[in-house]
């Protein structure tokens, strides 16, 4: 595996102890987290706390002597994703006791006008068609996950399989749906 | 009923442990240390990162769909029964009117369609069009977190790319080719009046798939499924997104594609074309014509 960029590597190593390098890394992590969290549709009310959480966990990781990542910019972006995944998991577990319509699900890139609304509707209709074409095992796994809110261990117990098996099925089902949407020219949008 | 999805093309996939790890990461199930190690891998393995992004976007879409379905169910429960009776009567009246009108109309050509090549990535598409050479903007480099220096605003970039694409559409429509070799493709289309448009493909004999459906497209020129570039996000997160077009499935060899157009609101009854089990492009066209569509057939060849 190739080494990290020398400038980034130096910044990472110097940031292991308190000082200007640590502040610089923290500022870079904060800016990346803010931008990434906004892009991924994190609720505005929680975005500042989540960005701080991304910075805190990063600095703790660096202080523990972790090796520098190969691409610091990308690593900081994925740190924000990780924090957001944790947050959404906490929200979903709370939502068991609250009405579904109050779930704080904020999809990225909300439809903003009639045209985008129509495109979004077309995408969701195509998704339903693609979902109906999955095999029965994949359909059942997705139904447990999305309609009944059972993930990980809970879904594994329900299906009588290992948790990893559920994750592999979810992975393959999501990928098959994505490929089906791409065949239809939908969801192929990429930030290239 | 709809056919099952065709088997995925054989190619080296990630090991099962990595497949499971990706989903555990998305679901926030990894302990923080393992999560950080996985993020370090994502920063070093662009293919793994692209996979996680695809999963994440599809997961978000499914959650949105579930949420909307739930809201719709709630609205339906609240609606009074007389509203339903009124809506059904109105719909029946409209259907009778639409059927009578469509019989009385003449069969003039409603459209011109063609195929045009698209690309897997924005950069390839930009490189294929010299008018866009050297331009860089937000959204073109974000997969790996790094970014080329942006030298044009996203709005301006989309404007310029639209002009280039409009010219491409006009060239394609001036002399439509019956076949095209491409990994991704789009359908330039010119409509005479408001129309319902379907793009269908035969992914295997007897397995027709609806690639695109637009119930009410305005007269004029279109590119289906959508223009190559769109603006997404807001404020500082505003960026461009590249839309690849239709995918030519890996391993299909040749893909029969049919563009079908009928006047908006002229829906006909009977079995859908997906249920008729067409074995080739001609049968697929016949199935669509039986539903009142005018059709044009093409072939897309998988690149060798």
């Amino acid at each position: 595996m190739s080494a990290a960029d020398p400038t980034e590597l130096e910044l990472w190593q110097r940031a292991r102890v308190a000082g200007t390098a640590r502040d610089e890394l923290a500022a870079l992590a904060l800016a990346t987290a803010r931008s990434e969290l906004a892009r991924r549709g994190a609720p505005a009310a929680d975005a500042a706390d989540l960005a701080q959480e991304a910075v805190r966990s990063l600095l703790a990781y660096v202080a523990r002597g972790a090796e520098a990542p190969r691409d610091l910019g990308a690593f900081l972006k994925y740190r924000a994703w990780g924090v957001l995944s944790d947050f959404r998991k906490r929200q979903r577990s709370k939502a068991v006791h609250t009405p579904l319509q109050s779930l704080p699900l904020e999809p990225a890139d909300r439809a903003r006008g009639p045209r985008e609304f129509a495109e979004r509707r077309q995408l969701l209709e195509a998704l339903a068609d693609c979902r109906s074409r999955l095999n029965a095992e994949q359909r059942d796994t997705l139904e447990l996950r999305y309609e009944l809110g059972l993930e990980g261990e809970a879904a594994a117990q329900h299906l009588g399989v290992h948790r990893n098996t559920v994750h592999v099925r979810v992975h393959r089902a999501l990928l098959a749906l994505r490929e089906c949407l791409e065949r239809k020219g939908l969801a192929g949008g990429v930030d290239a | 009923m709809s056919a099952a999805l065709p088997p995925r093309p054989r190619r080296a996939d990630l090991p099962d442990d990595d497949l499971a790890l990706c989903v555990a990461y998305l679901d926030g199930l990894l302990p923080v240390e393992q999560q950080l190690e996985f993020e370090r891998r994502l920063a070093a393995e662009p293919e793994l990162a692209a996979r996680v992004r695809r999963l994440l976007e599809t997961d978000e879409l499914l959650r949105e769909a579930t949420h909307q379905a739930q809201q719709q169910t709630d609205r339906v429960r609240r609606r009074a029964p007389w509203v339903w009776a009124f809506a059904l009567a109105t719909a029946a009246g409209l259907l009778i009117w639409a059927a009578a009108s469509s019989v009385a109309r003449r069969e003039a050509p409603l459209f011109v369609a063609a195929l045009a090549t698209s690309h897997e990535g924005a950069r390839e598409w930009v490189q294929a069009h010299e008018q866009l050479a050297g331009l860089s903007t937000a959204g073109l480099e974000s997969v790996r977190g790094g970014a080329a220096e942006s030298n044009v605003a996203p709005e301006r970039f989309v404007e310029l790319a639209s002009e280039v694409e409009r010219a491409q559409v006009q060239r394609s429509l001036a002399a439509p080719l019956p076949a095209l070799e491409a990994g991704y493709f789009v359908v330039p289309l010119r409509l005479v009046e408001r129309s319902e448009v379907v793009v269908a493909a035969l992914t295997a004999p007897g397995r027709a798939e609806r690639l695109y459906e637009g119930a009410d497209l305005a007269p004029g020129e279109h590119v289906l499924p959508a223009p190559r570039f769109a603006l997404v996000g807001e404020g500082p997160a505003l960026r461009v997104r590249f839309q690849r077009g239709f995918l030519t499935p890996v391993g299909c060899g040749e893909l029969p594609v049919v563009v079908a157009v009928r006047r908006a609101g002229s829906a006909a009854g009977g079995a859908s074309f997906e249920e008729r089990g067409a074995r080739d492009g001609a049968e697929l066209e016949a199935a669509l014509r039986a539903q009142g569509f005018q059709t044009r057939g093409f072939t897309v060849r998988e690149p060798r």
Side-chain angles (χ1 to χ4, degrees):
Chain A
M1 190 171 293
S2 68
D5 175 279
T7 323
E8 292 178 352
L9 182 62
E10 194 198 336
L11 176 65
W12 183 275
Q13 283 170 345
R14 284 194 297 122
R16 284 184 180 146
V17 289
T20 51
R22 177 173 277 208
D23 294 345
E24 198 184 324
L25 182 62
L28 185 62
L30 188 64
T32 307
R34 280 182 178 150
S35 146
E36 227 19 68
L37 290 165
R39 232 161 75 87
R40 294 246 69 94
D46 299 292
D49 287 347
L50 293 174
Q52 288 296 345
E53 172 54 29
V55 175
R56 263 197 304 275
S57 56
L58 169 82
L59 294 181
Y61 186 56
V62 174
R64 283 197 297 274
E67 198 186 323
R70 185 171 150 189
D71 179 339
L72 181 60
F75 178 72
L76 296 180
K77 182 174 98 172
Y78 299 125
R79 184 74 295 259
W81 288 22
V83 167
L84 187 58
S85 293
D86 288 349
F87 170 76
R88 287 188 166 151
K89 179 194 155 203
R90 290 196 297 273
Q91 294 298 307
R92 284 197 295 274
S93 60
K94 269 193 225 165
V96 171
H97 306 292
T98 54
L100 195 62
Q101 56 267 38
S102 66
L103 267 174
L105 295 173
E106 297 198 15
D109 307 332
R110 278 178 176 287
R112 283 178 290 167
R115 183 192 164 99
E116 286 176 65
F117 178 76
E119 285 173 1
R120 202 70 187 161
R121 195 172 64 182
Q122 185 195 1
L123 179 61
L124 294 178
E125 282 169 5
L127 180 70
D129 176 56
C130 290
R131 201 168 158 176
S132 73
R133 291 162 183 261
L134 294 173
N135 67 41
E137 192 178 84
Q138 290 176 330
R139 278 203 308 272
D140 291 349
T141 309
L142 292 192
E143 193 177 335
L144 283 181
R145 180 179 171 85
Y146 296 104
E147 274 75 32
L148 298 177
L150 297 184
E151 289 176 4
E153 202 55 57
Q157 279 175 13
H158 195 278
L159 293 168
V161 296
H162 190 271
R163 191 174 87 162
N164 270 15
T165 308
V166 174
H167 287 159
V168 170
R169 280 184 197 171
V170 169
H171 188 124
R172 294 207 165 111
L174 291 179
L175 210 58
L177 285 178
R178 176 76 180 201
E179 285 176 0
C180 175
L181 290 172
E182 285 182 359
R183 277 202 301 282
K184 294 171 188 286
L186 300 165
V190 285
D191 294 340
Chain B
M1 270 315 288
S2 55
L5 284 174
R8 293 181 55 226
R10 286 176 190 281
R11 61 183 166 210
D13 200 358
L14 300 168
D16 277 5
D17 282 351
D18 278 351
L19 299 185
L21 200 55
C22 289
V23 173
Y25 173 70
L26 291 186
D27 288 353
L29 297 176
L30 299 180
V32 69
E33 200 65 24
Q34 205 182 341
Q35 195 180 42
L36 282 152
E37 285 307 316
F38 187 66
E39 285 159 7
R40 181 213 294 283
R41 276 189 66 192
L42 293 177
E45 299 174 37
E47 280 185 20
L48 182 66
R51 173 71 67 93
V52 168
R53 187 172 60 82
R54 284 157 67 89
L55 294 175
L56 176 61
E57 287 173 359
T58 313
D59 178 68
E60 284 175 348
L61 196 59
L62 279 160
R63 291 192 191 283
E64 183 188 348
T66 310
H67 185 53
Q68 283 195 0
Q70 179 67 37
Q71 283 185 322
Q72 222 158 18
T73 309
D74 289 348
R75 275 199 295 273
V76 168
R77 279 188 194 135
R78 286 196 289 266
R79 204 165 282 164
W82 68 267
V83 175
W84 277 107
F86 179 75
L88 283 173
T90 308
L94 281 172
L95 274 176
I96 293 165
W97 174 81
S101 314
S102 68
V103 168
R105 280 180 186 154
R106 65 191 163 78
E107 267 308 296
L110 291 169
F111 73 106
V112 186
L115 296 181
T117 306
S118 188
H119 295 91
E120 184 170 9
R123 209 145 282 280
E124 292 163 277
W125 198 87
V126 167
Q127 278 165 1
H129 298 90
E130 60 184 24
Q131 302 92 319
L132 302 175
L135 294 184
S136 182
T137 192
L140 284 180
E141 286 285 353
S142 63
V143 165
R144 295 203 60 219
E149 201 59 41
S150 174
N151 57 18
V152 61
E155 296 97 323
R156 180 65 183 146
F157 182 89
V158 169
E159 218 172 272
L160 292 169
S162 302
E163 279 172 26
V164 170
E165 188 162 37
R166 200 172 304 123
Q168 185 192 34
V169 164
Q170 284 167 356
R171 277 196 307 277
S172 305
L173 291 174
L177 299 170
L180 183 77
E181 185 175 304
Y184 289 88
F185 64 99
V186 292
V187 175
L189 177 71
R190 186 178 297 128
L191 294 174
V192 173
E193 57 182 274
R194 297 201 80 84
S195 303
E196 179 182 347
V197 178
V198 168
V199 179
L202 212 55
T203 51
R207 190 181 290 151
E209 190 170 334
R210 194 177 295 248
L211 300 183
Y212 172 89
E213 184 173 28
D216 190 6
L217 267 63
E221 282 169 3
H222 302 263
V223 54
L224 307 179
R228 293 288 58 74
F229 286 94
L231 283 171
V232 292
E234 288 175 53
L238 184 71
R239 63 199 186 280
V240 300
R241 169 164 287 189
F242 179 67
Q243 307 182 111
R244 292 170 175 145
F246 300 115
L247 168 76
T248 310
V250 177
C252 75
E254 289 196 343
L255 182 73
V257 173
V258 175
V259 181
V261 175
R262 66 185 176 195
R263 288 183 180 84
S266 61
S272 75
F273 70 88
E274 288 105 324
E275 292 165 351
R276 290 179 179 239
R279 285 163 300 175
D280 57 29
E283 287 188 9
L284 180 56
E285 282 196 70
L288 281 154
R289 281 199 298 270
Q291 294 195 297
F293 284 98
Q294 293 181 13
T295 62
R296 174 84 202 266
F298 300 93
T299 303
V300 182
R301 295 196 191 94
E302 186 185 2
R304 277 162 290 190

